[in-house]
DNA sequence: AGCACGCCGACT
DNA sequence: GTCGGCGTGCTC
């Protein structure tokens, strides 16, 4: 038998199957989708079996045998295998990358070189003998650390030892010591025979008698009995208990949140939406629904009931949320409703925890997965429903290879399983809404809030006016007053600061110089905590200068408003207010996010101040005021989605206020109050916004009227990058059809990152059958030729942004 | 991507 | 003479 294997090497000439002989010993168990260890050139690598056959085009003598079968059961189903193939073609990625992205990181191979000593007797070098200490397989690293590399080399040359590659899985199954306590009689006999001075052992025995016959983990036993490990060991040796290692799942800690009551009745709109979805499911149609529901309209309840329906029919469901750790409340609701049938996958889990959740899915122990983007590859084999909540979120697009969009993968999988997909959002992406308008997706609308609450009253504050009136702080008078009222009433406020482009930077007030990163064309961000300037793109760090590097003036100081600055202003304006700040700095620690949110939900603070991360999912009854400190920062990004992003953000943020009994109020501070994205977000007027934005997109030829693909070139040398960008663009122009618009080459919006200059070329097309083929040709030229000069070229089909 | 092979300069 | 620099080419 011969196996076709995709090997774990991301390189252009390797991106195809290689044939291997299947040793007779494993022919009975080998399956497509299992991983193997194979010799590849002079080393060993991990590979995925994508096919089995009897004959190879190559001569059998050229084939090497598989070294080892790693999985007895396939880790990739045939459905996912085909999907990976599609993914690789569609996103122009290597097949190996498309395969790896489907598995938890813990299953990716880690390679380690190992010294193998066959005949210990042949070793004469004394120092090396001592180092080996009788061992036959030792990591090469250890020899290196002991300075024995030359000795190893000599022995390898003499053929006495060899160097092999060991493939190590990052995390394996977690095991726990389980103690089975003996029966009462045995224990009592033992107790009688124990030495009188072994007080502790007697104590433990007595405890065990009370728990005779039970099985308990060693850790729990020690906690409950208050006995040390050494004592336990002694007692086990005497025969009072037996122990064995048992597989366990790491139980990720779930935040304790207040129970959200299950509403007895659905609103009419909810009921209609649910019926449409379950009907589609019953008819086994791969139908994609766009569930457009304003904030607070109860989309989640529709999801939950649709899932219930699917589970009752013995099928499985995948639920994607933008970044699950951001919405602990959402997770909690799923756990409440479906209990142990739910697996949770999010970035806050350790790689071991993710692996465990993955295994639960694969073994069919759970029926629902709630997770971030990569959960779309959950190894279910009987999917009945796929949900993307907040479908407009750009986090569904992976930023590095394979650059896939979870929405596309979801639809692809639904076609295989003949099941519905729900795309849910209060502010759908223009692409999705346009498709729904054209009937490609089925539109479901929830236009009323579930509990019949009013939408919050939104006030747009013109900050130019404030400035004219002499208010130079970041709080307008109306917002400051509103905060003060909340403090008096004991209600809570959420203050939102648009992070991007709004961090503090250092500016010379004499010559206007802004301190920039020496490696990137971007201003450095001021960090108060350690009085340093940092680059968010390359990580460069330096001290805050005391003099302007340009004019040597001493009037150089930080400017602008990060969350730290905002916190200081709050402290000045409202000294009595208790503030929780949530940004990258305060949430870096594991679990910090949940902790801060819990504190806020328990009323331990009056004001929650944060960035992007607080825009979603927050749902606390006592929040009656939301303030957006500067709405226009996302508006001026050099991206065709800038207005859409702003509208979405404003709507999401406003939706945080007054979701329960108390009425909500929202203040949006801006320097461009007349912009339609801001104006229309006030009353969540999605439809008019959609119309206006579509007109703009049509005029400039952007999605959804055109598809966009971005080709980016980076190089240390400005002249070279311009040159290659020109060559690449010319190639595309020559090979793509006449109707396709090619813009560029142009310098990217951030023209230098990490000392590399960036150029790009934008391809806009309605229908371009030759696109994939042409891009593949371009990539081939790049891989075989241009790459040698130090150029890096990337292709992003339908990018999330075009910086 | 790694890794070996191979062909040139620098140093014991 | 040998060590080691990295250009070139291959991996079933």
């Amino acid at each position: 038998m011969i196996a076709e294997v995709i090997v774990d090497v991301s390189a252009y000439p390797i991106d195809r199957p290689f044939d291997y002989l299947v040793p007779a010993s494993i022919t009975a168990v080998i399956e497509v989708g299992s991983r193997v260890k194979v010799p590849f050139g002079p080393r060993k690598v991990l590979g995925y079996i994508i096919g089995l056959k009897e004959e190879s085009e190559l001569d059998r003598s050229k084939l090497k045998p598989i070294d080892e079968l790693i999985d007895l059961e396939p880790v990739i189903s045939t459905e996912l295998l085909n999907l990976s193939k599609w993914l690789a073609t569609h996103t122009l990625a290597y097949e190996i990358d498309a395969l790896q992205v489907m598995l938890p990181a813990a299953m990716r191979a880690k390679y380690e070189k190992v010294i193998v000593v066959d005949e210990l007797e042949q070793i004469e070098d004394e120092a090396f003998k001592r180092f080996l200490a009788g061992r036959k397989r030792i990591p090469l690293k250890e020899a290196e650390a002991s300075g024995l590399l030359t000795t190893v080399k000599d022995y390898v040359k003499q053929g006495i030892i060899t160097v092999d590659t060991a493939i190590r899985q990052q995390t394996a199954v977690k095991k726990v010591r389980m103690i089975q306590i003996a029966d009462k009689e045995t224990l009592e006999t033992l107790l009688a025979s124990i030495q009188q001075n072994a007080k502790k052992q007697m104590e433990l025995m007595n405890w065990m008698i009370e728990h005779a016959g039970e099985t308990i983990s060693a850790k729990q036993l020690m906690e409950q009995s208050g006995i040390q490990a050494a004592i336990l060991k002694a007692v086990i040796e005497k025969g009072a208990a037996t122990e064995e290692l048992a597989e366990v799942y790491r139980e990720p800690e779930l935040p304790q949140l207040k129970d959200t009551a299950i509403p007895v009745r659905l609103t009419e709109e909810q009921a209609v939406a649910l019926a449409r979805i379950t009907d589609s499911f019953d008819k086994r149609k791969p139908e994609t629904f766009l569930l457009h529901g304003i904030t607070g309209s109860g989309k989640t309840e529709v999801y939950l009931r649709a899932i219930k329906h699917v589970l009752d029919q013995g099928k499985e469901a995948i639920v994607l949320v933008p970044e699950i750790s951001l919405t602990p409340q959402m997770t909690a609701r799923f756990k409440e409703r479906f209990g142990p049938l739910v697996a949770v996958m999010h970035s806050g889990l350790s790689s071991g925890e993710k692996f465990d959740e993955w295994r639960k899915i694969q073994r069919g122990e759970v029926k629902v997965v709630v997770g971030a983007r990569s959960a779309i590859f959950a190894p279910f084999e009987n999917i009945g429903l796929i949900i993307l909540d907040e479908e407009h979120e750009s986090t569904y697009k992976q930023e590095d290879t394979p650059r896939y969009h979870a929405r596309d993968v979801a639809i692809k999988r639904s076609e295989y399983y003949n099941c519905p997909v729900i795309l849910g959002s209060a502010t759908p992406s223009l692409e999705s809404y346009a498709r729904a308008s054209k009937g490609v997706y089925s539109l479901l609308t929830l236009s009323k809030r579930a509990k019949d609450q009013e939408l919050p009253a939104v006030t747009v504050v013109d900050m130019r006016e404030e400035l004219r009136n002499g208010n130079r702080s970041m709080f307008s008078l109306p917002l400051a007053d509103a905060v003060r009222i909340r403090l008096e009433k004991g209600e809570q406020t959420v203050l939102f600061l648009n992070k991007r482009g709004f961090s503090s930077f250092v500016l010379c007030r004499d010559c206007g110089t802004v301190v920039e990163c020496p490696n990137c064309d971007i201003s450095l961000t001021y960090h108060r905590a350690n009085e340093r300037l940092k680059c968010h793109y390359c990580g460069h760090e330096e001290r805050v200068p005391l003099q302007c590097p340009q004019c040597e003036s001493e009037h150089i100081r930080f400017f602008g408003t990060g969350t730290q600055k905002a916190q200081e202003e709050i402290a000045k304006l409202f000294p009595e207010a208790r503030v929780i700040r949530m940004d990258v700095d305060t949430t870096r620690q594991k679990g910090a996010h949940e902790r801060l949110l819990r504190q806020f939900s328990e009323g331990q603070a009056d004001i929650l101040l944060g960035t992007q991360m607080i825009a979603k999912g927050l749902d606390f009854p006592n929040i009656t005021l939301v303030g957006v400190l500067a709405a226009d920062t996302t508006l001026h990004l050099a991206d065709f989605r800038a207005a859409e992003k702003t509208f979405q953000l404003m709507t999401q943020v406003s939706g945080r206020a007054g979701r329960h009994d108390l009425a909500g109020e929202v203040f949006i501070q801006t320097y461009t109050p007349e912009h339609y994205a801001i104006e229309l977000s006030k009353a969540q007027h999605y439809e008019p916004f959609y119309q206006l934005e579509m007109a703009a997109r049509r005029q400039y030829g952007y999605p959804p009227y055109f598809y966009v693909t971005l080709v980016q070139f980076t190089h240390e040398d400005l002249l070279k990058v311009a040159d290659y960008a020109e060559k690449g663009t010319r190639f595309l122009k020559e090979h793509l059809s006449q109707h396709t618009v090619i813009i560029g080459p142009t310098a990217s919006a951030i023209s230098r990152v990490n000392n590399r200059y960036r150029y790009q070329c934008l391809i806009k097309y309605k229908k371009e059958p030759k696109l994939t083929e042409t891009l593949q040709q371009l990539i081939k030229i790049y891989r075989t030729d241009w790459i040698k000069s130090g150029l890096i070229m990337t292709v992003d089909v339908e990018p999330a942004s075009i910086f």
Side-chain angles (χ1 to χ4, degrees):
Chain A
M1 202 194 298
I2 286 156
E4 291 180 278
V5 176
I6 297 283
V7 294
D8 176 24
V9 177
S10 299
Y12 182 71
I14 314 301
D15 185 33
R16 60 190 177 82
F18 284 80
D19 288 353
Y20 284 88
L21 297 169
V22 179
S25 57
I26 57 170
T27 44
V29 280
I30 199 161
E31 276 185 78
V32 168
S34 290
R35 294 172 302 161
V36 284
K37 182 177 163 189
V38 290
F40 194 69
R43 63 210 158 109
K44 306 258 171 66
V45 293
L46 185 110
Y48 294 80
I49 298 179
I50 62 153
L52 291 167
K53 55 189 183 183
E54 290 307 322
E55 289 305 321
S56 170
E57 278 154 43
L58 270 86
D59 194 88
R60 275 188 106 84
S61 63
K62 291 224 172 191
L63 304 186
K64 292 182 188 171
I66 289 171
D67 212 55
E68 189 190 327
L69 177 66
I70 296 176
D71 307 300
L72 288 175
E73 296 280 317
V75 291
I76 305 253
S77 67
T78 25
E79 182 239 338
L80 288 176
L81 203 60
N82 290 330
L83 187 70
S84 78
K85 184 96 192 161
W86 170 83
L87 197 66
T89 319
H90 187 77
T91 66
L92 296 136
Y94 296 134
E95 258 186 81
I96 185 67
D97 291 335
L99 283 165
Q100 306 257 41
V101 79
M102 300 186 167
L103 296 173
M107 286 177 72
R108 255 161 252 176
K110 279 272 192 300
Y111 299 97
E112 191 179 45
K113 289 197 175 170
V114 183
I115 305 165
V116 184
V117 188
D118 295 321
E119 313 262 340
L120 279 169
E121 309 81 61
Q122 291 188 47
I123 308 290
E124 277 157 16
D125 186 295
E126 283 304 319
F128 196 53
K129 247 188 191 166
R130 249 179 285 126
F131 165 74
L132 291 176
R135 295 175 296 176
K136 291 198 160 180
R137 286 177 73 90
I138 311 99
L140 188 65
K141 263 205 210 117
E142 279 186 38
E144 201 178 344
S146 313
L148 290 164
L149 226 48
T150 12
T151 323
V152 170
K153 235 176 159 182
D154 283 349
Y155 278 118
V156 170
K157 232 180 218 170
Q158 292 172 49
I160 293 172
I161 63 174
T162 48
V163 175
D164 191 24
T165 324
I167 295 176
R168 201 156 45 83
Q169 262 187 228
Q170 234 174 45
T171 320
V173 175
K174 186 180 174 182
K175 295 199 171 162
V176 151
R177 280 171 67 209
M178 293 300 289
I179 312 292
Q180 286 113 27
I181 301 169
D183 59 81
K184 210 167 174 180
E185 279 169 43
T186 319
L187 288 166
E188 277 167 353
T189 328
L190 276 169
L191 185 60
S193 68
I194 221 157
Q195 281 187 9
Q196 284 303 303
N197 57 358
K199 289 255 167 60
K200 282 281 177 191
Q201 289 191 27
M202 284 166 72
E203 195 186 312
L204 178 56
M205 291 270 208
N206 279 315
W207 185 90
M208 281 182 164
I209 287 169
E210 279 171 45
H211 297 264
E214 287 178 20
T215 302
I216 183 171
S217 77
K219 194 178 162 214
Q220 278 180 317
L221 187 148
M222 286 188 276
E223 271 171 21
Q224 289 178 21
S225 61
I227 294 289
Q228 301 284 307
I231 312 291
L232 177 62
K233 198 176 164 216
V235 173
I236 289 172
E237 273 168 19
K238 290 207 166 73
T242 54
E243 68 171 319
E244 68 174 24
L245 291 175
E247 268 188 35
V248 289
Y249 293 126
R250 301 159 186 85
E251 213 34 71
E253 222 178 288
L254 252 192
Q256 296 299 310
L257 286 158
K258 273 174 221 143
D259 199 82
T260 31
I262 299 171
V264 195
R265 281 181 62 89
L266 292 179
T267 65
E268 203 181 316
E269 287 178 329
Q270 283 176 316
V272 168
L274 180 65
R276 292 274 307 273
I277 295 159
T278 53
D279 185 52
S280 169
F281 168 81
D282 291 341
K283 292 187 175 135
R284 297 183 54 77
K285 282 204 294 196
E287 189 174 1
T288 302
F289 292 95
L290 177 61
L291 179 60
H292 177 209
I294 60 165
T295 55
S297 61
K299 288 187 288 293
T300 312
E301 190 55 36
V302 176
Y303 302 156
L304 291 167
R305 300 221 182 180
I307 294 168
K308 172 85 169 42
H309 182 86
V310 164
L311 295 190
D312 287 346
Q313 312 291 313
K315 300 268 182 160
E316 298 138 353
I318 298 177
V319 183
L320 299 191
V321 293
E323 176 52 72
I324 199 151
S325 57
L326 303 187
T327 60
Q329 288 171 312
M330 173 113 177
T331 330
R333 275 180 84 174
F334 279 85
K335 282 263 178 184
E336 269 167 31
R337 206 65 72 88
F338 304 113
L341 290 178
V342 183
V344 178
M345 292 265 214
H346 62 85
S347 62
L349 300 180
S350 70
S351 69
E353 286 165 346
K354 280 184 198 154
F355 175 65
D356 281 354
E357 297 298 295
W358 184 87
R359 264 175 2 116
K360 280 188 206 167
I361 302 164
Q362 209 213 9
R363 292 177 166 192
E365 291 170 16
V366 295
K367 299 292 171 197
V368 182
V369 174
V370 182
R373 181 180 58 230
S374 64
I376 194 59
F377 298 112
F380 279 140
E381 299 195 348
N382 212 354
I383 298 173
L385 180 65
I386 303 176
I387 297 169
L388 267 85
D389 189 36
E390 312 284 0
E391 69 87 32
H392 61 276
E393 279 297 322
S394 58
T395 51
Y396 286 128
K397 180 78 199 301
Q398 174 143 308
E399 287 295 326
D400 42 44
T401 50
R403 299 184 159 80
Y404 69 92
H405 198 296
R407 191 200 297 137
D408 302 335
V409 179
I411 292 172
K412 194 79 188 161
R413 290 196 85 178
S414 83
E415 283 164 5
Y416 181 89
Y417 289 104
N418 287 310
C419 72
V421 173
I422 308 175
L423 308 176
S425 178
T427 52
S429 63
L430 284 220
E431 282 93 332
S432 293
Y433 203 78
R435 273 177 211 154
S437 308
K438 276 171 65 184
V440 181
Y441 299 162
S442 310
L443 184 64
L444 303 170
T445 308
L446 306 180
S447 60
K448 297 187 189 71
R449 287 192 141 186
K451 289 169 203 157
D452 233 9
Q453 318 92 322
E454 294 283 310
L455 278 175
V458 180
T459 310
V460 174
V461 183
D462 186 347
M463 290 304 274
R464 294 170 304 193
E465 194 74 21
E466 290 286 316
L467 202 61
R468 253 175 261 136
N469 295 337
N471 179 7
R472 309 186 69 185
S473 91
M474 51 196 288
F475 286 88
S476 63
L477 293 179
L479 177 57
D481 284 342
V483 173
R484 206 161 284 125
I485 291 168
R486 295 311 178 295
L487 289 174
E488 280 162 16
K489 287 208 270 189
E491 293 171 6
Q492 289 178 305
T493 299
V494 170
L495 292 176
F496 179 76
L497 196 55
N498 246 356
K499 181 110 172 61
R500 196 177 301 208
F502 205 18
S503 329
S504 315
F505 51 94
V506 168
L507 174 98
C508 171
R509 302 177 97 189
D510 282 339
C511 71
T513 299
V514 173
V515 183
E516 288 186 347
C517 174
N519 311 318
C520 315
D521 266 352
I522 200 105
S523 50
L524 292 172
T525 306
Y526 175 71
H527 284 249
R528 161 136 293 198
N530 50 7
E531 284 284 321
R532 289 176 80 84
L533 295 170
K534 278 186 203 164
C535 173
H536 284 179
Y537 283 82
C538 73
H540 168 86
E541 227 185 294
E542 62 182 63
R543 293 192 51 182
V544 177
L546 300 170
Q547 277 189 337
C548 169
Q550 208 64 52
C551 70
E552 297 185 358
S553 154
E554 284 170 13
H555 295 131
I556 186 160
R557 43 159 287 190
F558 74 91
F559 190 82
T561 28
T563 43
Q564 295 169 349
K565 175 86 189 304
Q567 192 170 18
E568 284 164 28
E569 279 217 26
I570 293 168
K572 249 185 258 164
L573 273 167
F574 319 106
E576 73 281 17
R578 297 163 302 161
V579 182
I580 289 180
R581 193 181 106 212
M582 271 180 84
D583 58 19
V584 275
D585 289 334
T586 61
T587 54
R588 198 164 313 152
Q589 251 185 328
K590 197 184 161 180
H593 211 117
E594 287 78 5
R595 197 188 67 240
L596 292 173
L597 282 183
R598 191 177 55 241
Q599 287 173 1
F600 190 65
S601 77
E602 286 168 358
Q604 293 181 36
D606 309 299
I607 297 175
L608 178 66
L609 167 69
T611 52
Q612 232 84 325
M613 60 179 72
I614 61 168
K616 282 166 233 133
L618 274 186
D619 188 359
F620 302 130
N622 206 25
I623 301 174
T624 59
L625 174 65
V626 169
V628 179
L629 296 179
D632 16 28
T633 47
T634 45
L635 212 49
H636 307 305
L637 296 174
D639 194 278
F640 67 88
R641 280 190 240 268
E644 185 184 353
K645 289 269 156 284
T646 306
F647 178 82
Q648 286 165 350
L649 208 52
M650 289 309 107
T651 310
Q652 298 287 342
V653 174
S654 310
R656 300 305 113 214
R659 292 172 70 95
H660 296 266
D661 301 334
L662 300 167
E665 202 178 3
V666 177
F667 285 84
I668 296 177
Q669 302 188 154
T670 172
Y671 289 90
T672 43
E674 64 282 357
H675 195 285
Y676 63 93
I678 289 171
E679 188 58 35
L680 293 169
S681 68
K682 263 170 67 173
Q684 300 204 15
H685 281 154
Y686 180 81
E687 186 70 31
F689 170 78
Y690 169 77
Q691 298 297 349
L692 278 172
E693 184 63 13
M694 282 296 271
R697 300 284 179 91
R698 162 174 254 159
Q699 189 182 347
Y700 298 107
Y702 279 116
Y705 287 101
F706 281 81
Y707 291 106
V708 164
T709 289
L710 183 71
V711 184
Q712 198 154 52
F713 305 83
T714 78
H715 199 287
E716 285 180 3
D717 185 334
L718 177 60
L719 294 174
K720 284 210 171 122
V721 73
D723 186 35
Y724 283 116
E726 174 61 40
K727 276 187 190 147
T729 309
R730 204 182 319 133
F731 181 88
L732 292 169
K733 280 182 180 158
E734 280 163 12
H735 289 78
L736 293 173
S737 63
Q738 301 253 305
H739 306 288
T740 296
V741 184
I742 294 166
I743 301 173
T746 51
S748 302
I750 300 163
S751 62
R752 193 176 49 133
V753 167
N754 232 335
N755 273 328
R756 298 183 69 90
Y757 291 93
R758 292 148 44 101
Y759 265 68
Q760 63 189 38
C761 163
L762 203 61
I763 312 169
K764 300 200 293 188
Y765 50 98
K766 278 199 161 153
K767 204 173 164 225
E768 180 51 81
K770 285 189 289 186
L771 182 72
T772 307
E773 189 198 329
T774 308
L775 288 171
Q776 276 168 347
Q777 285 168 3
L778 179 64
I779 289 170
K780 186 175 181 184
I781 299 169
Y782 156 67
R783 291 279 175 193
T784 50
D785 203 7
W786 300 352
I787 199 169
K788 288 181 206 132
S789 77
L791 178 82
I792 295 176
M793 186 185 90
T794 54
V795 176
D796 195 346
V797 180
E798 295 175 52
S801 70
I802 54 167
F803 283 144

